[in-house]
Amino acid sequence: MSNHEQRLNQVPRNPLSLMGRVYKHILPEVRAELSGWRKLAAEIPDPELRMQALASINTKQFHCQGGAVYAAIHQPERSVLIRLIVSYQTISDYLDNLCDRSTSMDPADFKLLHQSMLDAIDPRAEQQNYYALHQEVDDGGYLYKLVETCQSCIVMLPAYSVVQPYISDLACLYTDLQVYKHIDPERREVELLNWWSKQKHRAPQLEWQEFAAATGSTLAIFMLFLAASNVGLSDNDAASIHKAYFPHLCCLHILLDYLIDQEEDRLGGDLNFCNYYSDSETMLRRIIMIADSARNDVKLIPATPFHRMIIEGLLAIYLSDPKVSVQQEVVSASKRLMKGSPLSRIFFFMNSQWIRKYLYK
């Protein structure tokens, strides 16, 4: 067994041990990290940038909490991984808010803003003026600080050079998606389809909106951050993780996110990939197929029980969201997806409800 396999086999193998570490270490440390970013966001001079930065932290903190589960292993790098995951996810959430509610629909503007996500994963990259094409420009150094924090954490991961090509691949796909999905609504579908035509050979089993959804997840990047903390990581290990997570597990993650956001996106005029299915039955059948494919994919990498918990946890977290109960079609879909749930998913479902009720106050 390789050092990589030995390290991953130390990851919690059952829901009780995983959630014990989440409550004891992950949630408090993520809360502390977000508290620091919230203070900096509150000091942003430009009112629009300040509003979007604060909103991204206050309404999307569960993204950081969920992502930081990958640091739920007792190792010296836990704090570094949490800091890295939280800062990178905070960039993602901030820019998503900024582009969703942007005064601009300029793809060049969105591309330059998201260059920060590419620079954040390259410790040798020099920062740029990411707001050069944006109307609001003065964030008081907020985005620079987020990028700098990511870079400073990355240099502390001994095997980062091994995972960097795979992380760069995922980050480039992510930034492409963010550019195309935020442009003029009359152009975005055409641009997304053109983009997919060049990429569909990578996942011919997926429909265009499913491939696009897969590119919108940061989970594979976070798993590769974790893997980079192992000095014995090989290129084959990194390639296997990339293949196990992308596209199916990443696709499941984002489709569930869009499933519960349908009404919110309809009111905001935002793109929602679930709306591109011919009917709800087709959508459910495809989501179930993608979840089954994800379960098969993670059998090919070490610590399979942990990755299975990630999949069941995703279903539980999203289907327990309060947004579900106010959308009748989503309630029906949720009941179908939860039918015959394994005990692990039910356990995560109950924990997700408890966290929202008592920890989000």
Side-chain angles (χ1 to χ4, degrees), residues 66-207:
V69 166
Y70 288 96
I73 178 173
H74 292 294
Q75 58 177 348
E77 296 87 354
R78 188 187 70 233
S79 294
V80 172
L81 287 168
I82 289 176
R83 192 177 311 120
L84 172 57
I85 290 168
V86 169
S87 56
Y88 197 70
Q89 186 61 49
T90 298
I91 298 175
S92 171
D93 291 337
Y94 170 54
L95 295 184
D96 191 49
N97 268 35
L98 205 56
C99 295
D100 268 345
R101 305 292 171 251
S102 178
T103 52
S104 160
M105 287 191 178
D106 179 7
D109 178 16
F110 298 150
K111 188 174 181 64
L112 184 56
L113 284 170
H114 282 86
Q115 181 62 39
S116 62
M117 295 194 70
L118 301 180
D119 292 347
I121 57 168
D122 182 357
R124 296 170 297 181
E126 293 185 7
Q127 296 210 45
Q128 308 174 37
N129 179 8
Y130 304 117
Y131 297 100
L133 301 177
H134 202 70
Q135 181 174 327
E136 298 84 17
V137 299
D138 189 3
D139 75 350
Y142 179 68
L143 189 52
Y144 276 12
K145 182 64 175 176
L146 282 164
V147 172
E148 182 183 75
T149 300
C150 291
Q151 292 176 330
S152 66
C153 291
I154 279 169
V155 298
M156 301 175 71
L157 300 178
Y160 189 75
S161 62
V162 178
V163 304
Q164 187 171 359
Y166 300 98
I167 289 177
S168 294
D169 174 63
L170 295 164
C172 285
L173 289 172
Y174 179 91
T175 56
D176 284 347
L177 172 68
Q178 294 304 310
V179 171
Y180 297 133
K181 77 187 281 279
H182 286 113
I183 60 175
D184 188 328
E186 294 185 1
R187 294 177 52 202
R188 64 190 178 193
E189 186 175 331
V190 171
E191 294 295 337
L192 282 165
L193 286 168
N194 287 338
W195 172 59
W196 177 64
S197 69
K198 301 171 186 176
Q199 302 286 345
K200 62 182 179 181
H201 65 280
R202 299 181 59 157
Q205 74 279 20
L206 297 183
E207 298 181 13

Side-chain angles (χ1 to χ4, degrees), residues 7-8 10-12 17-18 20-27 29-30 33 64-86 157 219 221-227 229 245 306 310:
R7 288 284 295 277
L8 286 184
Q10 297 172 25
V11 174
S17 61
L18 175 60
R21 296 184 187 186
V22 166
Y23 285 122
K24 185 176 181 179
H25 300 290
I26 304 304
L27 293 179
E29 292 185 32
V30 169
E33 288 292 324
C64 292
Q65 292 169 331
V69 166
Y70 288 96
I73 178 173
H74 292 294
Q75 58 177 348
E77 296 87 354
R78 188 187 70 233
S79 294
V80 172
L81 287 168
I82 289 176
R83 192 177 311 120
L84 172 57
I85 290 168
V86 169
L157 300 178
L219 291 185
I221 292 176
F222 297 158
M223 179 57 212
L224 287 164
F225 284 160
L226 169 61
S229 66
Y245 268 68
F306 172 76
I310 293 293

Side-chain angles (χ1 to χ4, degrees), residues 186-320:
E186 294 185 1
R187 294 177 52 202
R188 64 190 178 193
E189 186 175 331
V190 171
E191 294 295 337
L192 282 165
L193 286 168
N194 287 338
W195 172 59
W196 177 64
S197 69
K198 301 171 186 176
Q199 302 286 345
K200 62 182 179 181
H201 65 280
R202 299 181 59 157
Q205 74 279 20
L206 297 183
E207 298 181 13
W208 77 266
Q209 74 271 25
E210 294 166 348
F211 177 82
T215 67
S217 173
T218 48
L219 291 185
I221 292 176
F222 297 158
M223 179 57 212
L224 287 164
F225 284 160
L226 169 61
S229 66
N230 173 25
V231 69
L233 190 77
S234 69
D235 181 74
N236 185 61
D237 293 328
S240 296
I241 292 168
H242 184 285
K243 186 176 181 180
Y245 268 68
F246 185 86
H248 296 120
L249 199 156
C250 289
C251 179
L252 176 66
H253 172 207
I254 300 302
L255 283 182
L256 290 171
D257 192 45
Y258 278 113
L259 175 68
I260 69 169
D261 280 350
Q262 288 180 86
E263 179 63 16
E264 183 180 301
D265 289 342
R266 185 186 67 79
L267 294 174
D270 299 326
L271 183 75
N272 190 301
F273 292 128
C274 285
N275 294 339
Y276 288 94
Y277 291 107
S278 58
D279 52 62
S280 58
E281 182 62 32
T282 300
M283 176 187 69
L284 273 173
R285 187 171 65 250
R286 294 295 295 178
I287 292 176
I288 291 169
M289 180 278 290
I290 289 165
D292 288 341
S293 296
R295 293 185 186 98
N296 286 328
D297 291 343
V298 300
K299 291 177 182 177
L300 304 178
I301 54 177
T304 296
F306 172 76
H307 304 293
R308 283 291 302 267
M309 285 192 289
I310 293 293
I311 294 169
E312 302 308 331
L314 284 173
L315 286 159
I317 289 168
Y318 282 102
L319 298 181
S320 65

Side-chain angles (χ1 to χ4, degrees), residues 337-353:
L337 289 168
M338 287 296 293
K339 187 177 180 180
S341 292
L343 289 176
S344 59
R345 192 187 308 165
I346 295 171
F347 178 84
F348 290 132
F349 187 94
M350 295 173 64
N351 270 269
S352 298
Q353 290 182 318

